Amino acid sequence: MNVDGVFVGEPSVLGHRRDRPVLSAITKARVTAPELALTELNLDGDRQADLTVHGGVDKAVYVYPAEHYPAWAAEGFDAEPGGFGENVSLTGVTEDDVRIGDVWAWGDALVQISQPRQPCFKLAMKTGRKDVTPLMIDSGRCGWYLRVLRPGTVPTAGPVELAERADGPTITEVYLVSFANYGQLPEDKVEAALDLADRVLATPALSASYRDGVQSTVDRWRARRAG
């Protein structure tokens, strides 16, 4: 794994919704210094506008695989590193390769994968494309968040080392469970999907807020099946 770029930003007016200004820190600038500080909540110079849904200890850093930029560009997006609100553009792994609970050594900090990204309306405002949300969901090109286990100084380029491999589900598997349309699955696939959902829900390192969303979806579907 290799860090290709680190990006930070402060909240600013992204646009207007229902004639009211929308504050967001999704617009980020590349860090030109060779290293910067990482706390339990943020990279130095980075903040979130709405702490009810963004940021916090489970979403301190947003990582995005650089391998996805060509696919977005082919779909007509301005797919520059940092353009999806990511803090870190990373090569070498995608959602298929990383697991909830994996621990990485980044500089002298330790970070842990906590959950996938769930796109919101601000990404559509940032890109100017309403279809970006369904495209991210359908493609699984979502990226993931890190919690900080040990704050420290992190480099803005260079390798990130796997310190501890978890046995939890991959980001791809968690995303499948989160957005599966259980009602459209063949009957012989439903139980397998629910078994995977149970595995996701039993993963201790998954952020509590994301687990709650998955639990709600699974509970609704099980209730429907029970009649």
Side-chain angles (χ1 to χ4, degrees), residues 95-203:
E95 291 82 0
D96 294 335
D97 307 308
V98 299
R99 297 181 179 276
I100 299 294
D102 280 354
V103 177
W104 297 349
W106 180 20
D108 56 16
L110 281 180
V111 295
Q112 183 181 51
I113 297 175
S114 58
Q115 68 164 76
R117 183 226 189 118
Q118 287 183 293
C120 71
F121 75 95
K122 292 180 180 179
L123 181 60
M125 293 184 73
K126 170 71 167 55
T127 60
R129 294 270 298 267
K130 291 182 179 180
D131 60 340
V132 68
T133 297
L135 281 172
M136 181 172 279
I137 292 171
D138 291 345
S139 68
R141 301 191 300 257
C142 56
W144 54 88
Y145 285 100
L146 305 175
R147 64 170 60 91
V148 179
L149 302 181
R150 184 177 71 203
T153 301
V154 296
T156 57
V160 175
E161 302 295 335
L162 179 64
E164 181 182 324
R165 181 64 163 170
D167 61 0
T170 65
I171 290 293
T172 295
E173 289 174 323
V174 177
Y175 222 53
L176 285 172
V177 165
S178 303
F179 292 103
N181 188 333
Y182 294 92
Q184 293 185 354
L185 289 175
E187 186 60 29
D188 62 338
K189 302 293 184 183
V190 172
E191 283 305 319
L194 291 174
D195 287 346
L196 178 57
D198 287 339
R199 182 176 172 227
V200 167
L201 290 169
T203 304

Side-chain angles (χ1 to χ4, degrees), residues 25-107:
I26 195 172
T27 301
K28 300 189 184 296
R30 183 184 288 269
V31 177
T32 57
E35 59 185 23
L36 73 166
L38 173 63
T39 71
E40 290 183 349
L41 293 177
N42 281 309
L43 287 159
D44 188 27
D46 196 58
R47 286 199 301 131
Q48 294 79 33
D50 185 354
L51 293 176
T52 64
V53 291
H54 299 293
V57 294
D58 288 326
K59 293 187 283 186
V61 178
Y62 175 42
V63 177
Y64 201 73
E67 281 82 353
H68 294 332
Y69 299 133
W72 286 112
E75 291 166 345
F77 288 84
D78 182 12
E80 292 294 321
F84 292 92
E86 64 267 36
N87 294 116
V88 177
S89 176
L90 191 73
T91 60
V93 289
T94 68
E95 291 82 0
D96 294 335
D97 307 308
V98 299
R99 297 181 179 276
I100 299 294
D102 280 354
V103 177
W104 297 349
W106 180 20

